[in-house]
């Protein structure tokens, strides 16, 4: 019976751990408010002060037609993966030096996970 107790505990804790690792889209929606003054997401999203972020995961950096990117972002030459977005949300100027986004970054890994979970809901 003692062997089953740690296994049962693990099975109870594992779903919470997986949820924490992947983020919470509802919390991400709230956290996205700090992004929404410049970025839109969703079926009718258009560029504003920043590019729209619908389908951003898997998209080439600096590639939407309705936004004028900085030369640095236009020449970035990478595709937005979740890892690249995570790094960019943490420290934009470290990932793309010279980009024109005026945002210092998000210090909370949980908030970044939540925002990425929210953005995943807009992938087609």
């Amino acid at each position: 019976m003692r062997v089953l107790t740690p296994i049962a505990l693990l099975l109870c804790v594992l779903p919470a751990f997986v949820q924490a690792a992947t983020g919470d889209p509802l919390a991400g929606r709230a956290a996205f408010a700090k992004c929404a003054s410049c970025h839109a997401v969703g079926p009718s999203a258009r560029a504003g002060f920043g590019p729209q972020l619908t389908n951003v995961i898997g998209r080439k950096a600096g590639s939407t037609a309705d936004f004028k990117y900085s030369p640095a972002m236009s020449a970035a030459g990478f595709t937005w993966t979740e890892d690249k977005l995570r790094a960019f949300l943490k420290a934009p100027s470290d990932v793309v030096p010279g980009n024109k986004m005026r945002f210092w970054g998000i210090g909370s890994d949980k908030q970044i996970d939540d925002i990425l979970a929210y953005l995943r809901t807009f992938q087609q």
Side-chain angles (χ1 to χ4, degrees):
M1 190 69 169
R2 289 184 183 192
V3 173
L4 291 179
T5 303
I7 292 171
L9 181 61
L10 178 63
L11 291 175
C12 291
V13 173
L14 189 58
F17 176 76
V18 170
Q19 175 67 21
T22 60
D24 176 359
L26 292 177
R29 180 178 182 194
F32 188 79
K34 65 183 71 177
C35 311
S37 61
C38 297
H39 297 282
V41 66
S44 61
R46 300 286 178 263
F49 287 112
Q52 60 85 11
L53 299 178
T54 304
N55 293 315
V56 68
I57 301 165
R59 183 168 75 202
K60 184 178 179 211
S63 68
T64 61
D66 64 344
F67 186 75
K68 184 169 173 42
Y69 291 92
S70 66
M73 188 62 78
S74 294
F78 61 80
T79 298
W80 289 113
T81 63
E82 287 198 29
D83 287 339
K84 190 65 88 169
L85 281 165
R86 184 179 316 287
F88 189 77
L89 288 169
K90 193 169 231 16
S93 293
D94 289 352
V95 175
V96 183
N99 79 79
K100 67 181 182 180
M101 187 164 93
R102 298 296 165 238
F103 183 71
W104 300 112
I106 299 171
S108 167
D109 289 333
K110 181 179 179 349
Q111 272 195 342
I112 291 172
D113 287 342
D114 293 344
I115 290 170
L116 290 174
Y118 177 65
L119 291 175
R120 280 193 301 274
T121 67
F122 296 99
Q123 291 296 117
Q124 296 174 1

